[in-house]
Each structure stands twice: as structure tokens, then as C-alpha cells.
Amino acid sequence: MSAAGAPATAGPGTVTVGPATAADRPALAELARAAGVPAPAPERTWAARGPAGGILGFLTERRAPGGGRDRPLLEAPVVHLPATALGPDRLALLLLRRALGTAEGAHSGVALARREPAPAAGAGPRARVHAPDRLLAQEGWEPWLHRLELHHPLTLAAPPAGMRFASFRPSREPTFAGLYRASFRGSLDRAAAAVAADPDADWAALRRGAGREAWRSWFCLEDPVRGAVGLCCLTATGTSGGWCVQYLGVVPSARGRGYGRWLAEEAVRRAATQGAPELTLEVDRENTPALGAYRAAGFAIRHPVTVFAARGRAGVPARGGRDEPG
């Protein structure tokens, strides 16, 4: 996220929107906790501030470090309740427009993800995710993908007998590249359609991402009879120290035999043994084979997530997490 340009303001000094700083981390975390969403990384977050400097809302820009070409993905705005005399709609629009003014190409190539956190217990939340359909439609967004965020308690299952999990190294690149390209064929995951149109470019972006700090593990599953049948990559998420399944795929000829579940279970083992506090992933709500494999591996649904794209541009890739386990 670029911090260039003067902060946006609304009204006579009432609210200012600008880049968050490291000093904002505690306030951002508190607001996120009240809204039921993960704490954002300040370096990729826009913050709305009141006259006294307090944070009234925020919006985070994320980029998938792997699983495809880098595309901006905005998380729906989080606003404090009651925010200001502006109201939550105006505050959310200020954050969204400010972020789009910085995100490359504005609407073009940018997607927006809206989590649906569980209602807070008690008298009501002090903050919430605020991006209603009517507001997004006004700004030219339309629903594109309907996904589920899943999480795992990191309880370990025994590895499958006879199977081998091989970590990525340069000498294995042809194997990993072939698995990645093949795993999109016949996928039930709608986000995969954008990748299938140009898998070579997507693989090149994925390969470049392998050296980034956010990457945690990249491995394939080898069957003693069938050979390499699928792969998975794991990355860090936000500032919580958690890991996510950035990509998991099984080649079409090997689907329906439990390999997706074994890949997911190995992802859990690697996250748990390396001290990750949690492991999450996203899957299309209608991708029932993938959802079944993840549930069999111990994952449970945490949030529904709706991904929006600019009207008429529903071919834009979403964040990582595309999968087609078998």
C-alpha cells in the first residue's frame, strides 16, 4: 500500500483517513476484536481518525503471497459504533474510496472480501464490518464469489501409511509446476477459472512468491503407485501469527481417493509442529467435495465470506485458497 498523497478528510476537520502506523496496532486490534475479525497489519491498513486522533474505522488491503498473480484484495471496512455524525455508511465510503485511490487500477483487478462474523454476545458490538450490498452496488461492486472461511484446532492425525510428503526445492520444480497446472482442470472452485485461462503466468507468479517472508511451507503428496498427485502451500496471515492454506490442489485423475484430506492433514501437522496458533483456509460454498475433505480433516466453518468484483469484471482473481481436493 502506498502512503503517497495527503490524507483524505470529510467535513471541517471531523474525520481524516490516512495510512495506519505501527503505533496504531493496539487500537486496530481492539476494534477488530470488537467486530469479530482478525487484527490487521498496520502497514497495509487505512485508518479513519476523529478530531482527537482516535481510530473510528479501518480498511485493510491484502495480497495473496502465493497461489496466483498478485492482485489487490480489500477487506470490507470495519467501523466503530456509533462512529461519528457521519454515520457508518459515510465512514465506510471514505475508507473504501481512499483505498481504491491507492490500489492499482482502482476497480480494475481489485476484489473486496466481506466476512460475516458471528453476532457478538451481550448488549451488542462496539464495532462491525460495514459494507452492505446497497452501498457496494452504489459504488459499482457486485457479488462474485460466495466462500467459507474454515479453521482448524490443530489437533494432529496420524500420517497415511505408505504416503510421502516432499517439500519444495528447486530440483522438484518441474513436478510442482505440473501438479499446479493440472490441478485447475475440472475444478469446481469458481476462482480457478481465471487461472485456467493462463496457468503459465499464474505459476510464474506463484514461483516468485516462494521466497517471500510470508511463505511457511510448500509440499506435494507422492503415492507409491500413482506418483505425485497433489500439492499444498501454506502462508502467514496478518499479524496474528496464524497460518493459512494458500493453495491446495489434486490432479483430476487422482480425485475422489482421499488425497485432498491427506494434504489438509499434513498442512495441519506442519502448522502445529512449527508453533502456529491457528490454521485457516477459504473454499467456495458450493464446492462440496473440497468442503467434505476439509471437514474430514478436522476443519470447521468460522465465517461466510462474500467476494465482490467491479460490475462487469467478475473474471478478476480472488485471494489465495483456491482448491480442488479429492
Side-chain angles (χ1 to χ4, degrees), residues 38 60 67 77 101 106 109 111 136 165 168 190 202 219 222 242 244-245 279 296 301 307 309:
T60 296
L136 295 178
F165 296 96
F168 177 83
R190 290 187 59 203
D202 210 71
F219 59 92
E222 296 177 347
C244 75
V245 176
L279 180 64
I301 296 171
V307 180

Side-chain angles (χ1 to χ4, degrees), residues 127-251:
R128 72 169 180 235
V129 173
H130 190 74
D133 288 357
R134 57 173 175 75
L135 199 66
L136 295 178
Q138 171 188 320
E139 295 296 294
W141 298 85
E142 62 183 2
W144 173 37
L145 301 174
H146 299 282
R147 298 174 69 78
L148 295 169
E149 180 185 280
L150 282 67
H151 72 105
H152 198 284
L154 297 182
T155 53
L156 301 183
M163 299 295 165
R164 178 172 178 264
F165 296 96
S167 296
F168 177 83
R169 59 174 183 252
S171 63
R172 292 195 178 113
E173 181 162 348
T175 297
F176 277 70
L179 288 170
Y180 184 75
R181 294 184 180 109
S183 65
F184 286 105
R185 293 198 295 268
S187 175
L188 297 179
D189 194 291
R190 290 187 59 203
V195 177
D198 194 357
D200 290 337
D202 210 71
W203 166 256
L206 181 75
R207 180 66 183 88
R208 287 194 301 271
R212 296 181 183 175
E213 183 180 349
W215 278 60
R216 292 294 180 262
S217 186
W218 193 6
F219 59 92
C220 70
L221 171 58
E222 296 177 347
D223 183 291
V225 176
R226 295 177 176 274
V229 293
L231 78 167
C232 177
C233 65
L234 305 173
T235 62
T237 58
T239 59
S240 66
W243 289 23
C244 75
V245 176
Q246 185 71 20
Y247 181 81
L248 190 154
V250 173
V251 299

